[in-house]
């Protein structure tokens, strides 16, 4: 599974920590779109880069981070086909996969510590979509197809 990952200046250290977690998974290939330093960048630009990788089919999933995770998740969800879930707990991360088939996870570098973030990432990577008919129907409605 190819995962595109990106952050603004508010979450560079969290991105580095998340990359270490992703390294635990042999089947995960990480594609890092940046940013890599402390210079301020605009989170919508990072969201666009990661989401373009997903909507083009280059990556299956994405992980986006900014200071709170709020701005970058809002920006991601404006792209058709992107279902970005802002999660700061493991239960939400699992539900975002099982029920919402979230293809992007968002977190806030100024909100969550590396330990809880690692657990969230592990749960999000390893949880499959339920494929349940009612969840498929609801996702179709999000896509404007039902
Ligand atoms: C940048 O200072 C900050 O606004 C951004 O990282 C994020 O928290 C926005 O939602």
């Amino acid at each position: 599974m190819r995962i595109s990952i990106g952050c603004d200046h508010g979450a560079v250290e969290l991105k580095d920590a998340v990359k270490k977690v992703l390294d635990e998974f042999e089947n995960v290939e990480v594609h890092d779109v940046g940013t890599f330093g402390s210079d301020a960048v605009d989170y919508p630009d990072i969201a666009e880069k990661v989401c373009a990788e997903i909507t083009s089919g280059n990556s299956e999933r994405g992980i986006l981070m900014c200071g709170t995770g709020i701005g970058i998740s809002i920006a991601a969800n404006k792209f058709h086909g992107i279902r970005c879930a802002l999660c700061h707990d493991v239960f939400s991360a699992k539900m975002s996969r099982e029920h919402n088939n979230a293809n992007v996870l968002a977190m806030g570098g100024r909100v969550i510590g590396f330990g809880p973030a690692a657990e969230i990432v592990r749960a999000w990577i390893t949880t499959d979509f339920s494929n349940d008919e009612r969840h498929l129907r609801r996702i179709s409605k999000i896509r404007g197809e039902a």
Side-chain angles (χ1 to χ4, degrees):
M1 171 166 48
R2 188 173 192 261
I3 298 183
S4 290
I5 182 168
C7 68
D8 77 356
H9 52 286
V12 174
E13 289 169 355
L14 178 61
K15 175 160 69 65
D16 289 342
V18 166
K19 283 169 77 174
K20 284 192 188 127
V21 176
L22 294 174
D23 280 347
E24 296 169 8
F25 295 89
E26 279 180 14
N27 63 331
V28 168
E29 177 197 342
V30 178
H31 166 239
D32 187 350
V33 308
T35 191
F36 300 99
S38 55
D39 289 350
V41 295
D42 294 338
Y43 56 79
D45 299 335
I46 303 294
E48 185 171 12
K49 281 185 190 172
V50 165
C51 292
E53 288 293 315
I54 297 166
T55 56
S56 67
N58 286 339
S59 287
E60 197 174 318
R61 294 205 223 160
I63 300 179
L64 287 169
M65 291 148 282
C66 64
T68 58
I70 296 170
I72 209 156
S73 60
I74 291 171
N77 277 317
K78 79 176 191 182
F79 296 104
H80 191 67
I82 296 297
R83 293 174 301 281
C84 177
L86 173 58
C87 299
H88 288 129
D89 66 89
V90 168
F91 177 74
S92 299
K94 283 184 181 169
M95 287 302 102
S96 81
R97 291 289 310 133
E98 277 183 26
H99 288 196
N100 314 113
N101 200 10
N103 50 11
V104 180
L105 169 68
M107 293 185 291
R110 296 172 184 155
V111 176
I112 194 158
F114 296 162
E119 292 306 315
I120 286 165
V121 169
R122 289 186 190 108
W124 193 75
I125 293 295
T126 56
T127 304
D128 291 328
F129 178 52
S130 67
N131 247 326
D132 185 277
E133 184 273 329
R134 69 190 194 281
H135 296 310
L136 283 166
R137 182 181 67 244
R138 290 161 188 165
I139 290 167
S140 292
K141 288 187 177 184
I142 291 172
R143 291 180 63 89
E145 292 169 354

